[in-house]
Amino acid sequence: MSNEGASTVFKPPAALQAPFRDGMEGRSLSNANVTFGPRGSSLAQGPPPGSFSSDLKTMTLPRAGTPRTEQGPFFGDYGQRDSEKTSEQRQTELRDKLNKETKIKVGSENLLEALVSKNNKQTKEQRLRVEAELGSSNRKIIELRTQLEQEIERSKRPKTPPRNRLSGLFQGSPAKSPQNENESMQGDVAPTEESESPTYLLSEILQALENEGMQPDYYVERANRLVSLFKKYSSLKYDLAWPVFGLRIQTMLLSQSREVVAAGYRVTRHAIADRRSLQTIRHLNTDELVMLSLVKESKANIEREQALKFVRAFLDVKGGIHEVSNTVLRTIVSIAEHHEDRLRNLSILTLLELLVRNPSMVVEAGGMAPLTEALLEGSYQGSESVALTMLYLFDRPSDRLYLRSRHELDAAFTIFTDPIAVHVSEEKLKSSARLISTLLNSWPGLFIVANDSFAPVRGLLQSLAYPSLIARDLTLDIIFAVLQIKAPSWSSSFLAGRRLTTYGRVANLTEESSAVFTAVVSEEEQENRVCLSEHYTALLLAVLLQSGLQQALSNLIQEEGEPALRRKAALLQGEVLSMADRVLPYTFSSSLQAAPKLVEAVSMGSPDTSLSQTSMIYQTDSVSRTLYRSQAVVKHPSEMTKQLKQQPKVPSRTIDSTKPDLDIDMDEIKFRAAIVETQILSHVKYIKWNWDLIEDLVNGPLKSPKRLSEAITGTKLLKRLLGFYRPFKYRFSDASNTKPNQRYVRVGVSLMKTLLQNSEGIAYLSESKFLRQLGECLAQLDRTSGLTSSTPLFSSWRTTQTLTGGYFALLGALSSNPKGLEMIERWHMINIFYHLLDLQDRDDLVELLLGNMDFTLDSHLRVMLSKALTACHKHIRIFSTKLLRKYATLAPTTETGESSPSGVCEWAIRLLVTQLYDPEVGVSEVAVRILEESCNHKSHLEYVVRCRPQLDHLNEIGAPLLLRFLSTSLGYQYLDRLDYITQEMDDWFSGRNYSYVTLVEASLTRAFSTAPQDMPRSSINEPLRPGEYGALPPHFYRELTHTKEGCDLLRKSGHFDEFVAIIIQSWADHEDLEAMMNLKGCLWAVGNIGSMEFGASFLEESDVVKWIVKIAENSQLATMRGTAFFVLGLISRSLHGMEIIAEHGWKAAADQYGRSTGYCLPPRLGRFFSIKLQHSPDKGGIRALAKDMRPRPIVDEDPVQALVLNFVVDAGNTVLAKKAANDLNGIKVRYPEAFSSVELYRKVRDVLGSHNFRLPVRRFILDLFDRSVMRNIVLDEEESESESIRTERPPHARPRLP
C-alpha cells in the first residue's frame, strides 16, 4: 500500500526478473519469483507459467535465475505427502512414456502394413528395421506396464510413519531456525503424530506460531502441518478457540512475506466448518485483506491464488454465498475483466458459480459484462460453461430477467452471419461453432435461437453462400454434429472423389452387412428401446428444414466451387433425406425426397452448368442408395432376415478391388493356375506368398471336396500351408504380433473350418503333426504333464510379442465342430485346459483360452468355463461372465430367422443366474446387465423368471432386472408372491418417481454434451449397451402396464389419478423447484403408462393429454416444455396414443407399415417455441440495479476526504482516470497524513464496493494508503495520531493541488 510506482499507474507491470541474491543476508523472500499452477496440484521448483498450486513454500533463486542444485527440494506439505506425490509423478511419467511407445508401435504397424504390399526385394531391409523397432516398442510397452502396475500397488500400501514428526520437513532448506534444529536432533525420542492427541497437536502448532522474527519457512511449515491436521481430523475445526486461532491467522495475513500470507489463507480455508464459522472469520476483517491481496501485482500470484481459493471456499458452505462481500466480488469482477491476469479463468469460473446460485449478486457487481465478453471473444477455453450457465438462467422466468436482452447468446452466430466477420481466425470460428452446437443441443438454447422466426439459424445457413471455405466447412460440421450424424466408413473415399458403386460393395458391405445381422433385433427389444435424443434430433431437423436447410445445401451443390465441399454437402443432403424419411411425419418429409430445387436447376440451366448439376444429383442419389444398403438400424427383423438369407456371402477381408471372389465350382485349370499364383510351391519363405489369394482359395474352391482332394493328393499346397502353422517350424509362432500379420491367423482359422467340412479334410488334419506338436507345447505349461522347457512356446513374452496366441484362435475354430472337439480330446488338451485355469500368474493365457473357445456344443469346455466362473479370481470371473453375453443374447428360433442352437441360451442364462450370487459386486453387476439385455426376447425373459433369481442382496443393481420381470404375466406372478410389486409401487410413488427425472435429464445431458470417446464408463470395461446415453431408463409403471394384471393393480391403487391431478394443479407453477420436479415426475409416469397399448386406456379415461399439450405449448419453462414434448412422443408409441395426440393437432411419424416410431412434432413450430418475456422487472430488478450503480458526488465533512473520494470516483471513468490519478498523487504529496486515516480507507473501500474499477485502478488506489492502516483495521488498533492530525486542521483549509 505504498505509493511506489505512482507515476506509472494503470500500466501493466514490466516483465518480472529473478530477485537479486547476494549471500544469506541478501535473501529476499518477499521478492521471490513465485509461480503457481493448476488447482490441486503440487508446487515444484520452476513450474511453467499459468499453473496453480495448493501447497506453499518459499522458492529462492540464485543470481542467474536458476534453482540451486545443491539444495534439497521442497514438497507440497513439507514431507507429509512427499512420497505420495513422488509416486504420482512417477506414475505420470510412466503413463507419458507408455503413450509415446504406443504411438511408436501404431506408426510402425502402419508402416509395416504399407511395406508388405510393396516389392519384397526393395523393402526387405527397411521392413526388417521396422520389425525390429516394433519388437523394441512391444518390449518397452510390457516393461512400462509392469512398472506402472508395480508403482500403483506400491502407492496403495500403507505408509510407514517417519521416525520424527519433523523429519523431512526441511529437506535441503537454505535456512533453519535454531529451535527447529534442536527439534530435529531429538527425533529419536519424539513421539509420533499418530500417538498424540489432535487437540494437543493443535495447541502445540498454535503455540509455535506465536514466535516472532522467524524465517518465512518456519511459519509455512507449521501452516502445512495445521492443514494436514484439519484434513485428518475434520471434526477438529468445530472446536476451535477462535480468539486464539483468529489472532494467529491475523498475524500471518499481515505478514510481509507473500508465502506466509498465502499459508494463512490456506489454513483459514481449511478451518471453515459452517456459515457461523464464516461469519467469525469475516469478523477478523478478512474482507479487507482479501481485497488487498487480490489487487496485487502478478509477482504475488501465490498469495492472490490462495486468497481467491479462500473466497471460493465460501461456495462450499451452505448459505456461504451470502457471506461474500460486494467489495470482494467487485474485485473478482475486475480480475475477470483484465485479460492479462493469470487468475482470470479462475475468476470467471467463480463468477459462474455465483451466477447460478445468486444471479442478482453478480449482476449488481457488474459481473455479466466479463462473462459475456469471455463467451464471445473466443480466447476463454471454457466458453461452453459460460453458455450453459446463461442457458440455465434463461430457463426460469425469474432468472431470465437478468439477461437484459435475448441476444447475449445470439452473438455466437454473428461471426457466421456477418460476411465481413467471417474472415477472422480459424480458432475463433471453431470456438463459435462449439457454442452454436451447445445452444442447439439444449432446450433453452433452442428456444433462444427460435427468436424472430429462427433468424439466427437462417443466418447460419446463409453462411454457406459466403466465400470463406473454413466458415462453410464448419457450418456443415455443425449440422453433422447437432443432428448426430456419424460419417459412414466410406465417407472419406467419397469426399476424395472415388465412386461408391465398387468401393461401397466390396470394401464396406462386408462389415456393415454383419452389423446389420447383429442389429436384427426382436420386436420386443425394438418396443422396449426408447431413444429420447433421437426424438430431440427430429425436432431439430424440422427446425433446420423450416429455416431453409435443403435450399442452402442445394445452392451449395449447384455452385462451381470446391469439389470436396460440394461432395460434403451432397453427403449431408443424403443423410438429411434419409433421416427425414425415418423420423419426421409424412407431411414434413414427403416434399423433401424429390429434391425439387436441384431438378429445377438442371432443367432450367445451360448445358454447361446442367452437366455439373446432374453429376451432383447422381452423387446425392448414390449416397442415398449406399446409405440404404449399409443402414445398420433395422426396423423389421423378419424382412431383413429374409434379405440377408438371399444375399451372397462376402469374404471377411475388405479390399478396394474390383476383382471378383474365386468361385467354389472353379474348374481344374483355373484352380491349378491359382495354386501357382499363390507362390507356395515356388517359394519357401512365407513372406513371398500371396496371402490374399490363399485366403480366397481357402474360403472358396477348397470347400469343394473335389478341389480339396486334389490339393491334398496332387500338390503340396496343404502340406506346406499346414506346415507353416506347425509350432516347431517356428514360422507362424515366430512371426511378430502386428496388425498386418493378423492375416496369418485369419487364414489359419479359415483353414481349420474348411478342413472340418468334409471327411477327407478331417482325416488329413487328424493325421498331421500340427495338433500333436501343439498339444506338446501346451503340455509344457502343465505341471502334471512332466514336460518342461527352458523357453516354452506359450511364455508371456511370446504370447504378446508373437503370433503364438493365435493358436488359441485355431483351437477355437476346432471347438465349434464335434470332429474338432474329438481331435482336441485325442491329444488330451482338455486336461491341459483345466490345469491352465489353476495358473495364478498367467491371466493372459487364461483369457486367450476362454476368449477363443466356442461353447456352443455341450462338451467339457462348458465345464471348464463353469470352473472359471466360480473358482478363479475376480478378474477372470468378470471376463468369463462377459463371454456369456454372446450366447445369452442369441435370437430365439423363429419361422423366418435362423434358429439358435438348442439349449445354448438356457445354458448361458443358468450360469448368469448363478453369477448373481458371486461375492464380488462387480461380477453380479455384469451378470445383471447381460441378463437384462437377454430379457429383450420374451422367451428368454420367461426362462429367467423360471430360474427364480433372488436379487435382494444387490439392491439398486438388480432393480432394472426385476422391473423387466413385470412385462410378462409369469414374471408378475413371481414378483407378486414375493410381495415385491406393492412395495416397489409405494416406493416409486413416494420418491423414486422424482429421482427418475434427474436420471433422465442426466442421460440427455451426457448424450448431447459428451463425445463418445470421452464418455464415462461404468465398472465394466466395455459398454454392454451401446447408445445408453440419451435412451429412456426403465420405469416401474411402464413395465407394470405390459400386462393386464399390472393395469388392474394400477387402477386399484389410484396412482394414475393422482398423477393427473398434480399435472392439472401444478402445470403453471414456475417458481417452486420442488413442485416443478414433482410435475416432471408425474409427466414421465403418465408418458410411460401411455406408451403401452394396455396403458393407453388410462389416457382415454382422463383428459390428461390436453393438459400435457397445454404444458408443451404454453409453459414458461423451456425444460418443462421439453419434458412435455418427450412425454407426447412416448404416448404416440401406442396406437391409441397416436390417435389421441392427433386429435390435438400433433403429428406422429410412422413407418411404411403404419406403426408409430415414437417421434411426434407440434403442428406449428413457431407457436411451440414462443415464450413470453417480461421486460419490466419489479422492485430490485435490473433497472433499479443500474440506477444504484450510477456514480453520485460524495459529500464529506472533511474537505480533504471529500476531495479524495470524488477523485476516486473519477478514477473509475476511463476519460477522467489519468487526471484523477495525478490529482490523487498531488493530495498524497501535500497531505500524506490523510492516507493514514482508517476512516478515509473505509470510505474509499465503500466506494470501491459500489463502483466498477479496472484492476490497475484498484491497485493504484489501495497503494496510496500507508501500510499501517491495514494493521490498524485488522487488529482494531486506535488511530490516535491520525485523529489528532485531522482535528488540528481547520475545517475551512481546503487543499490546493499543484
Side-chain angles (χ1 to χ4, degrees):
M1 293 187 298
S2 65
N3 60 352
E4 182 181 355
S7 60
T8 58
V9 70
F10 305 147
K11 294 183 180 180
L16 299 178
Q17 298 179 357
F20 181 83
R21 178 174 179 174
D22 188 8
M24 293 304 297
E25 298 298 325
R27 183 171 180 264
S28 176
L29 296 174
S30 60
N31 294 327
N33 184 15
V34 182
T35 54
F36 60 100
R39 182 178 185 182
S41 65
S42 62
L43 190 140
Q45 290 186 358
S51 58
F52 287 87
S53 98
S54 61
D55 300 306
L56 309 169
K57 68 170 186 168
T58 300
M59 297 182 59
T60 59
L61 298 179
R63 183 175 309 187
T66 56
R68 296 178 58 181
T69 56
E70 69 271 15
Q71 297 177 356
F74 285 111
F75 294 100
D77 284 346
Y78 286 89
Q80 168 74 14
R81 297 165 60 189
D82 181 16
S83 61
E84 180 181 350
K85 292 207 168 185
T86 304
S87 177
E88 293 176 358
Q89 293 174 358
R90 288 197 294 267
Q91 293 178 27
T92 302
E93 293 176 358
L94 290 173
R95 289 191 177 94
D96 293 340
K97 293 179 181 179
L98 187 61
N99 293 334
K100 181 179 179 181
E101 292 298 333
T102 304
K103 293 179 181 178
I104 295 176
K105 175 184 176 182
V106 173
S108 302
E109 290 179 347
N110 295 335
L111 180 58
L112 188 61
E113 186 176 3
L115 293 176
V116 168
S117 60
K118 296 183 179 180
N119 193 335
N120 294 330
K121 294 182 179 180
Q122 298 176 357
T123 61
K124 178 180 179 180
E125 183 178 354
Q126 188 177 4
R127 188 172 64 250
L128 292 176
R129 291 199 302 268
V130 173
E131 289 179 351
E133 181 66 27
L134 183 60
S136 176
S137 298
N138 290 328
R139 287 191 297 271
K140 290 181 180 179
I141 289 175
I142 294 176
E143 294 175 359
L144 290 172
R145 286 177 178 172
T146 304
Q147 294 176 11
L148 181 59
E149 291 175 358
Q150 293 175 353
E151 188 62 40
I152 293 174
E153 290 295 330
R154 189 182 300 113
S155 64
K156 294 179 180 179
R157 296 171 186 170
K159 308 293 189 304
T160 303
R163 293 181 305 166
N164 186 352
R165 184 189 325 140
L166 302 177
S167 61
L169 296 180
F170 292 97
Q171 299 178 10
S173 177
K176 291 184 180 180
S177 62
Q179 178 180 353
N180 193 31
E181 293 179 2
N182 295 333
E183 291 176 357
S184 62
M185 295 174 60
Q186 299 173 359
D188 296 335
V189 296
T192 61
E193 291 187 1
E194 288 76 3
S195 62
E196 295 179 357
S197 169
T199 306
Y200 171 76
L201 294 174
L202 176 63
S203 60
E204 183 186 36
I205 296 174
L206 293 179
Q207 185 177 2
L209 289 175
E210 291 182 3
N211 298 329
E212 297 181 359
M214 309 301 293
Q215 291 288 342
D217 286 341
Y218 174 84
Y219 301 104
V220 172
E221 181 267 330
R222 266 69 182 176
N224 282 335
R225 291 176 56 192
L226 200 55
V227 170
S228 301
L229 195 64
F230 285 143
K231 288 182 178 180
K232 187 173 183 180
Y233 305 100
S234 57
S235 61
L236 192 62
K237 54 189 175 183
Y238 292 95
D239 302 325
L240 289 176
W242 278 102
V244 178
F245 182 79
L247 182 59
R248 304 294 178 269
I249 293 300
Q250 288 177 321
T251 305
M252 294 184 68
L253 295 180
L254 289 171
S255 173
Q256 298 299 318
S257 172
R258 292 188 289 269
E259 291 80 7
V260 176
V261 177
Y265 283 124
R266 186 164 180 254
V267 171
T268 311
R269 170 163 55 92
H270 285 85
I272 297 174
D274 48 21
R275 185 174 180 180
R276 185 177 179 181
S277 64
L278 283 179
Q279 295 171 350
T280 304
I281 292 173
R282 290 193 64 195
H283 288 159
L284 302 176
N285 298 305
T286 54
D287 289 346
E288 285 78 5
L289 293 167
V290 170
M291 180 180 63
L292 180 62
S293 297
L294 290 177
V295 300
K296 288 186 177 180
E297 296 181 353
S298 58
K299 60 183 179 181
N301 273 328
I302 188 172
E303 176 184 342
R304 300 175 68 231
E305 174 207 352
Q306 290 298 326
L308 187 54
K309 286 183 176 181
F310 169 68
V311 177
R312 287 179 56 82
F314 284 38
L315 309 181
D316 299 331
V317 179
K318 183 178 181 181
I321 188 174
H322 302 291
E323 300 299 329
V324 180
S325 66
N326 198 39
T327 305
V328 173
L329 183 56
R330 285 187 180 273
T331 307
I332 297 175
V333 171
S334 65
I335 297 175
E337 292 174 339
H338 198 59
H339 291 268
E340 292 78 14
D341 200 289
R342 295 168 65 182
L343 292 181
R344 179 173 179 256
N345 292 345
L346 190 59
S347 300
I348 292 176
L349 182 61
T350 305
L351 291 177
L352 290 176
E353 296 182 19
L354 289 168
L355 186 62
V356 171
R357 301 186 183 186
N358 195 341
S360 61
M361 176 188 296
V362 179
V363 173
E364 183 180 358
M368 293 300 294
L371 293 180
T372 305
E373 186 180 2
L375 178 68
L376 302 178
E377 67 178 3
S379 61
Y380 180 59
Q381 298 298 325
S383 56
E384 291 90 347
S385 60
V386 182
L388 291 174
T389 304
M390 293 188 176
L391 291 176
Y392 175 80
L393 293 182
F394 180 83
D395 187 32
R396 298 183 60 189
S398 58
D399 296 339
R400 197 178 300 154
L401 302 174
Y402 297 108
L403 299 176
R404 300 191 180 184
S405 68
R406 298 181 63 180
H407 304 288
E408 284 87 355
L409 293 169
D410 287 353
F413 293 83
T414 304
I415 194 171
F416 284 93
T417 56
D418 189 352
I420 300 177
V422 80
H423 295 284
V424 297
S425 64
E426 183 177 355
E427 289 300 324
K428 195 168 184 179
L429 282 171
K430 290 182 178 180
S431 177
S432 297
R434 291 192 297 268
L435 281 179
I436 293 174
S437 299
T438 302
L439 292 177
L440 295 178
N441 281 330
S442 66
W443 281 111
L446 196 55
F447 277 85
I448 287 176
V449 301
N451 183 29
D452 193 13
S453 301
F454 304 101
V457 180
R458 286 188 279 107
L460 176 66
L461 296 178
Q462 289 174 3
S463 65
L464 292 174
Y466 297 157
S468 175
L469 293 178
I470 298 178
R472 300 163 93 181
D473 187 62
L474 284 176
T475 302
L476 294 178
D477 290 339
I478 291 173
I479 300 173
F480 270 105
V482 298
L483 294 181
Q484 297 185 345
I485 298 176
K486 296 181 180 179
S489 57
W490 41 264
S491 61
S492 58
S493 300
F494 172 72
L495 296 178
R498 301 178 187 174
R499 295 178 60 189
L500 290 179
T501 52
T502 300
Y503 186 84
R505 181 181 66 247
V506 178
N508 189 62
L509 289 184
T510 300
E511 297 179 354
E512 294 189 349
S513 62
S514 61
V516 170
F517 187 78
T518 57
V520 174
V521 295
S522 64
E523 295 184 4
E524 296 92 344
E525 184 176 356
Q526 184 92 23
E527 180 184 359
N528 288 326
R529 185 180 181 274
V530 179
C531 189
L532 300 178
S533 59
E534 290 184 1
H535 193 191
Y536 181 88
T537 304
L539 177 63
L540 189 57
L541 177 61
V543 170
L544 291 173
L545 290 174
Q546 183 170 315
S547 302
L549 174 61
Q550 189 182 27
Q551 178 64 40
L553 293 177
S554 300
N555 294 337
L556 181 58
I557 291 173
Q558 296 173 33
E559 286 185 2
E560 294 293 336
E562 180 66 25
L565 195 64
R566 298 174 63 197
R567 283 191 288 268
K568 190 172 184 178
L571 176 62
L572 177 58
Q573 189 171 42
E575 293 277 7
V576 166
L577 294 177
S578 175
M579 180 181 294
D581 181 62
R582 181 169 55 90
V583 302
L584 294 183
Y586 179 76
T587 54
F588 280 84
S589 62
S590 57
S591 60
L592 303 176
Q593 305 300 328
K597 298 297 181 181
L598 282 178
V599 178
E600 181 181 356
V602 171
S603 60
M604 301 296 293
S606 62
D608 295 335
T609 60
S610 61
L611 180 61
S612 174
Q613 292 165 358
T614 303
S615 174
M616 295 311 300
I617 291 179
Y618 168 76
Q619 292 191 21
T620 304
D621 179 70
S622 178
V623 168
S624 300
R625 291 178 180 273
T626 309
L627 287 173
Y628 178 78
R629 291 198 307 267
S630 61
Q631 187 177 5
V633 178
V634 184
K635 297 182 180 179
H636 304 288
S638 59
E639 296 296 327
M640 180 55 67
T641 306
K642 293 179 181 179
Q643 296 178 9
L644 289 175
K645 285 185 175 182
Q646 297 173 1
Q647 289 181 358
K649 293 186 177 181
V650 190
S652 59
R653 186 182 78 257
T654 57
I655 56 173
D656 187 6
S657 174
T658 58
K659 183 177 180 180
D661 299 327
L662 298 181
D663 189 6
I664 191 174
D665 297 327
M666 179 185 296
D667 57 33
E668 182 179 356
I669 298 177
K670 292 182 179 180
F671 178 66
R672 289 186 173 274
I675 292 178
V676 173
E677 291 181 10
T678 60
Q679 305 295 323
I680 294 180
L681 304 180
S682 56
H683 292 283
V684 178
K685 296 183 177 180
Y686 66 90
I687 298 179
K688 297 183 178 181
W689 296 354
N690 188 347
W691 286 95
D692 293 337
L693 184 57
I694 294 173
E695 186 175 2
D696 289 338
L697 282 174
V698 172
N699 291 320
L702 288 181
K703 291 185 177 180
S704 171
K706 182 177 181 181
R707 298 291 167 243
L708 180 63
S709 176
E710 183 179 350
I712 294 175
T713 59
T715 65
K716 294 184 178 180
L717 174 69
L718 284 182
K719 179 180 179 181
R720 292 192 175 182
L721 184 58
L722 198 58
F724 164 75
Y725 291 98
R726 283 165 55 183
F728 293 152
K729 288 281 189 178
Y730 294 105
R731 306 175 77 184
F732 174 79
S733 58
D734 275 0
S736 300
N737 187 12
T738 60
K739 185 177 180 180
N741 288 351
Q742 291 299 318
R743 58 181 178 178
Y744 304 145
V745 181
R746 188 169 61 247
V747 172
V749 171
S750 300
L751 180 62
M752 296 296 111
K753 293 181 178 180
T754 299
L755 293 176
L756 291 174
Q757 288 185 1
N758 59 76
S759 57
E760 191 169 356
I762 294 173
Y764 182 80
L765 182 61
S766 60
E767 294 174 0
S768 66
K769 299 180 181 179
F770 167 70
L771 291 177
R772 184 181 63 186
Q773 293 183 3
L774 185 57
E776 183 177 346
C777 293
L778 288 173
Q780 295 173 359
L781 302 174
D782 187 1
R783 299 169 183 172
T784 63
S785 64
L787 297 178
T788 58
S789 174
S790 59
T791 57
L793 185 71
F794 290 98
S795 63
S796 299
W797 183 87
R798 294 186 65 90
T799 52
T800 55
Q801 300 300 315
T802 67
L803 293 181
T804 304
Y807 282 116
F808 289 99
L810 273 62
L811 291 174
L814 294 176
S815 65
S816 62
N817 189 284
K819 296 296 182 179
L821 280 174
E822 292 179 1
M823 298 180 192
I824 293 177
E825 294 175 357
R826 175 186 176 186
W827 298 106
H828 307 288
M829 294 185 191
I830 296 294
N831 296 335
I832 299 175
F833 292 164
Y834 280 115
H835 295 154
L836 290 181
L837 296 180
D838 297 330
L839 299 178
Q840 300 296 327
D841 56 343
R842 292 303 307 274
D843 288 352
D844 58 330
L845 206 63
V846 177
E847 289 183 0
L848 282 173
L849 172 63
L850 298 176
N852 286 282
M853 292 297 109
D854 192 330
F855 302 98
T856 304
L857 300 177
D858 189 4
S859 63
H860 282 283
L861 295 179
R862 289 190 178 183
V863 182
M864 179 187 69
L865 181 61
S866 300
K867 178 182 178 181
L869 289 169
T870 55
C872 295
H873 54 81
K874 176 183 175 181
H875 176 71
I876 297 299
R877 297 205 305 274
I878 292 178
F879 180 82
S880 304
T881 306
K882 291 178 181 179
L883 293 178
L884 294 174
R885 177 178 180 269
K886 171 184 176 182
Y887 307 98
T889 57
L890 288 175
T893 303
T894 60
E895 296 180 359
T896 55
E898 295 183 1
S899 60
S900 59
S902 176
V904 175
C905 297
E906 291 78 3
W907 163 77
I909 289 174
R910 288 195 301 270
L911 291 181
L912 287 171
V913 171
T914 304
Q915 294 303 97
L916 295 176
Y917 312 111
D918 193 277
E920 290 290 342
V921 179
V923 179
S924 303
E925 183 182 359
V926 176
V928 168
R929 288 292 188 91
I930 299 176
L931 285 174
E932 187 181 355
E933 186 177 357
S934 178
C935 289
N936 289 327
H937 304 286
K938 187 176 180 180
S939 59
H940 296 175
L941 174 58
E942 293 179 349
Y943 188 80
V944 174
V945 174
R946 293 191 186 96
C947 293
R948 300 179 178 275
Q950 299 292 332
L951 302 176
D952 296 341
H953 62 289
L954 296 179
N955 298 326
E956 295 296 328
I957 297 177
L961 183 59
L962 290 176
L963 288 181
R964 298 302 300 271
F965 289 0
L966 291 173
S967 58
T968 61
S969 298
L970 183 63
Y972 179 89
Q973 296 171 5
Y974 170 66
L975 295 178
D976 189 31
R977 287 193 294 268
L978 298 177
D979 198 22
Y980 167 82
I981 300 177
T982 55
Q983 294 180 6
E984 191 73 7
M985 178 180 286
D986 295 338
D987 190 15
W988 274 80
F989 185 75
S990 59
R992 293 275 295 278
N993 200 31
Y994 312 130
S995 60
Y996 182 83
V997 177
T998 306
L999 182 62
V1000 173
E1001 293 180 352
S1003 176
L1004 288 171
T1005 302
R1006 291 177 179 176
F1008 288 120
S1009 63
T1010 308
Q1013 61 271 19
D1014 297 331
M1015 283 186 179
R1017 299 292 178 87
S1018 63
S1019 58
I1020 309 173
N1021 294 332
E1022 60 184 19
L1024 295 176
R1025 294 181 295 183
E1028 183 176 359
Y1029 298 117
L1032 185 70
H1035 197 283
F1036 173 79
Y1037 290 102
R1038 173 183 169 86
E1039 303 298 334
L1040 187 65
T1041 51
H1042 269 86
T1043 59
K1044 294 183 179 179
E1045 297 89 342
C1047 291
D1048 294 338
L1049 179 62
L1050 179 60
R1051 186 172 283 105
K1052 293 178 182 179
S1053 66
H1055 288 182
F1056 185 83
D1057 297 333
E1058 292 286 341
F1059 296 147
V1060 174
I1062 294 175
I1063 292 174
I1064 297 175
Q1065 181 182 359
S1066 306
W1067 76 273
D1069 194 346
H1070 303 138
E1071 300 301 330
D1072 189 352
L1073 293 178
E1074 184 177 355
M1076 288 188 293
M1077 287 293 291
N1078 193 6
L1079 177 59
K1080 288 183 179 179
C1082 295
L1083 286 174
W1084 284 116
V1086 171
N1088 279 279
I1089 292 172
S1091 64
M1092 308 307 299
E1093 291 296 339
F1094 289 142
S1097 60
F1098 290 91
L1099 303 177
E1100 296 178 348
E1101 297 171 0
S1102 64
D1103 202 14
V1104 67
V1105 176
K1106 180 186 71 174
W1107 292 96
I1108 297 176
V1109 172
K1110 192 173 183 179
I1111 294 174
E1113 296 179 352
N1114 300 298
S1115 177
Q1116 291 299 306
L1117 292 173
T1119 53
M1120 188 66 71
R1121 289 197 183 190
T1123 302
F1125 172 78
F1126 288 134
V1127 169
L1128 290 173
L1130 285 175
I1131 293 175
S1132 68
R1133 296 182 68 86
S1134 63
L1135 180 61
H1136 294 296
M1138 186 166 57
E1139 295 175 353
I1140 293 174
I1141 67 169
E1143 295 175 359
H1144 293 84
W1146 284 61
K1147 302 174 183 179
D1151 55 21
Q1152 61 268 31
Y1153 296 94
R1155 292 180 288 192
S1156 173
T1157 57
Y1159 309 121
C1160 67
L1161 294 178
R1164 292 182 296 276
L1165 293 178
R1167 180 181 176 184
F1168 176 75
F1169 286 107
S1170 61
I1171 287 186
K1172 297 179 181 180
L1173 292 181
Q1174 301 176 6
H1175 295 284
S1176 55
D1178 298 331
K1179 183 179 179 180
I1182 304 303
R1183 294 181 181 177
L1185 295 176
K1187 185 177 180 180
D1188 292 340
M1189 289 187 291
R1190 296 174 183 173
R1192 295 183 295 272
I1194 299 177
V1195 180
D1196 194 271
E1197 296 179 357
D1198 191 329
V1200 176
Q1201 293 188 7
L1203 199 58
V1204 170
L1205 293 175
N1206 280 284
F1207 285 152
V1208 169
V1209 174
D1210 292 341
N1213 190 324
T1214 308
V1215 178
L1216 304 176
K1218 186 174 182 181
K1219 182 179 181 301
N1222 294 331
D1223 292 340
L1224 288 172
N1225 284 326
I1227 294 178
K1228 183 174 178 63
V1229 173
R1230 294 287 299 272
Y1231 303 98
E1233 69 279 358
F1235 292 94
S1236 299
S1237 171
V1238 174
E1239 180 183 358
L1240 178 60
Y1241 179 86
R1242 286 173 174 165
K1243 293 178 180 179
V1244 171
R1245 177 201 62 188
D1246 295 337
V1247 174
L1248 294 177
S1250 58
H1251 295 74
N1252 287 334
F1253 293 88
R1254 293 183 295 116
L1255 184 62
V1257 177
R1258 290 179 177 271
R1259 182 184 305 124
F1260 166 74
I1261 293 173
L1262 293 177
D1263 284 346
L1264 291 173
F1265 288 88
D1266 191 79
R1267 296 177 181 271
S1268 61
V1269 175
M1270 183 59 64
R1271 184 175 186 87
N1272 294 334
I1273 292 176
V1274 173
L1275 299 180
D1276 294 328
E1277 296 180 355
E1278 296 294 334
E1279 45 171 347
S1280 57
E1281 183 179 357
S1282 60
E1283 289 288 344
S1284 61
I1285 293 175
R1286 187 181 62 176
T1287 305
E1288 293 174 0
R1289 186 171 60 243
H1292 62 275
R1294 183 175 182 84
R1296 301 171 63 183
L1297 299 179

